[in-house]
Amino acid sequence: MAKKLVKYCVVDAFTDTAFKGNPAAVCLLEEEKDDKWLQSVAAEFNLSETCYLIPLNEPTNTNPRFGLRWFTPVDEVDLCGHATLAAAHFLFSYGLVKTDTIEFSTRSGILTAKRVPEPKASNSQDDCPTGYSIELDFPVVQVAEANFNDVLAISKSLNGASVVEINETSKGDHFILLPSGEAVVECQPQIDLIQNCPGRGMIITGPAPQGSGFDFYSRFFCPKFGINEDPVCGSAHCALAPYWRKKLGKCDFVALAASPRGGVVKLHLDDEKQRVFLRGKAVAVMEGSLLV
């Protein structure tokens, strides 16, 4: 029997530079695949996320809608920002949708991605925009004080970093405040110790240095899901936005994901609707077909 081809693209999200930001594999399916196959392909890519798109035929819908699922190398997850950005970039850049808004049906409900034209450079002679960014509409992830009070254990897992606060997200991640953004950058995570900590993963964050152009820095570690460090975790910013809203008294942020690859996330928090709007760029770095 002839093998079918599944088109895929590897996209670096939350960056406009190849080999920076957070890579995700995007696979476009013509039909549903079983979970074992989906997980096996994700393990083969061995990126922090592999996501799967399948078109949904809903003629009453104004915007195109796709089913979207996200897999780490070891498990399926409920929410992923960078792979959703990568999926939207794939659909927009390959001309697979004709609108500026896409809807995704996911385990976290209906999520939207909007193409937002970038203003042209001030010295440009061209009337056309220079490009676009993508804005994602995601649910807020709540942050609350943690029951886990072992500051020493958390500090050891971060190679002795000074811990200011220990909180926990509604997704089960530790949410750790460090004294500064520089401390976030310099942190040397002890992955084995983080893996033995209770909870799912660990977000660390700190205030950005004055004059840096950022509001806060962050990093995310999740070895239990096969991700020692997620280079730019979009969903972590759904918790970071409401937390820094209380700290800084504002709703708009520019955040640096301070992993070695680095990435930039622009955020707007809608307090009333309890939604976070994440904006970033993406660049495709590899494409091909899977034989199935």
Side-chain angles (χ1 to χ4, degrees), residues 28-134:
L28 181 61
L29 306 178
E30 294 182 1
E31 57 188 19
E32 297 284 355
K33 299 289 186 181
D34 65 79
D35 289 4
K36 182 178 179 181
W37 185 90
L38 298 175
Q39 189 62 70
S40 295
V41 171
E44 188 77 6
F45 276 115
N46 199 32
L47 298 172
S48 59
E49 298 289 344
T50 296
C51 68
Y52 301 95
L53 289 166
I54 188 163
L56 300 179
N57 295 319
E58 299 181 1
T60 59
N61 220 40
T62 304
N63 299 310
R65 182 173 288 186
F66 293 81
L68 177 61
R69 297 175 69 180
W70 311 279
F71 287 76
T72 77
V74 300
D75 208 350
E76 185 173 9
V77 297
D78 291 337
L79 187 68
C80 179
H82 87 277
T84 306
L85 182 70
H89 177 79
F90 169 74
L91 294 171
F92 285 137
S93 64
Y94 282 85
L96 299 174
V97 295
K98 304 302 181 184
T99 64
D100 287 328
T101 300
I102 306 168
E103 297 180 358
F104 298 111
S105 178
T106 77
R107 287 169 62 163
S108 291
I110 301 299
L111 308 176
T112 62
K114 181 185 296 185
R115 175 165 44 191
V116 181
E118 295 284 322
K120 66 177 181 178
S122 58
N123 59 351
S124 173
Q125 301 300 311
D126 191 346
D127 290 334
C128 295
T130 58
Y132 65 90
S133 58
I134 296 170

Side-chain angles (χ1 to χ4, degrees), residues 12-16 85-86 89 114-116 118 132-136 264-267 277-283:
D12 290 340
F14 292 113
T15 182
D16 58 3
L85 182 70
H89 177 79
K114 181 185 296 185
R115 175 165 44 191
V116 181
E118 295 284 322
Y132 65 90
S133 58
I134 296 170
E135 183 178 86
L136 307 177
V264 177
V265 185
K266 295 182 179 180
L267 301 160
F277 297 88
L278 305 94
R279 185 179 294 189
K281 292 192 171 187
V283 57

Side-chain angles (χ1 to χ4, degrees), residues 64-250:
R65 182 173 288 186
F66 293 81
L68 177 61
R69 297 175 69 180
W70 311 279
F71 287 76
T72 77
V74 300
D75 208 350
E76 185 173 9
V77 297
D78 291 337
L79 187 68
C80 179
H82 87 277
T84 306
L85 182 70
H89 177 79
F90 169 74
L91 294 171
F92 285 137
S93 64
Y94 282 85
L96 299 174
V97 295
K98 304 302 181 184
T99 64
D100 287 328
T101 300
I102 306 168
E103 297 180 358
F104 298 111
S105 178
T106 77
R107 287 169 62 163
S108 291
I110 301 299
L111 308 176
T112 62
K114 181 185 296 185
R115 175 165 44 191
V116 181
E118 295 284 322
K120 66 177 181 178
S122 58
N123 59 351
S124 173
Q125 301 300 311
D126 191 346
D127 290 334
C128 295
T130 58
Y132 65 90
S133 58
I134 296 170
E135 183 178 86
L136 307 177
D137 179 352
F138 270 34
V140 161
V141 174
Q142 300 296 334
V143 179
E145 186 175 346
N147 293 323
F148 185 72
N149 294 315
D150 194 342
V151 176
L152 182 59
I154 293 292
S155 179
K156 283 183 176 179
S157 73
L158 299 174
N159 202 37
S162 177
V163 174
V164 178
E165 290 180 16
I166 300 176
N167 299 292
E168 187 175 10
T169 76
S170 56
K171 295 293 184 181
D173 296 319
H174 282 306
F175 187 104
I176 310 302
L177 178 65
L178 301 186
S180 65
E182 292 93 339
V184 173
V185 173
E186 294 165 3
C187 180
Q188 299 178 6
Q190 305 301 296
I191 297 301
D192 290 345
L193 295 180
I194 291 175
Q195 187 159 8
N196 290 329
C197 284
R200 186 184 70 160
M202 186 178 294
I203 301 166
I204 63 172
T205 188
Q210 286 190 353
S212 67
F214 298 101
D215 294 294
F216 59 84
Y217 290 2
S218 72
R219 294 168 70 183
F220 179 60
F221 315 110
C222 197
K224 292 178 183 177
F225 275 69
I227 309 166
N228 287 350
E229 178 166 5
D230 200 9
V232 190
C233 183
S235 61
H237 287 78
C238 295
L240 287 157
Y243 177 83
W244 285 104
R245 165 76 174 88
K246 294 178 181 178
K247 289 282 187 183
L248 301 178
K250 56 192 287 188

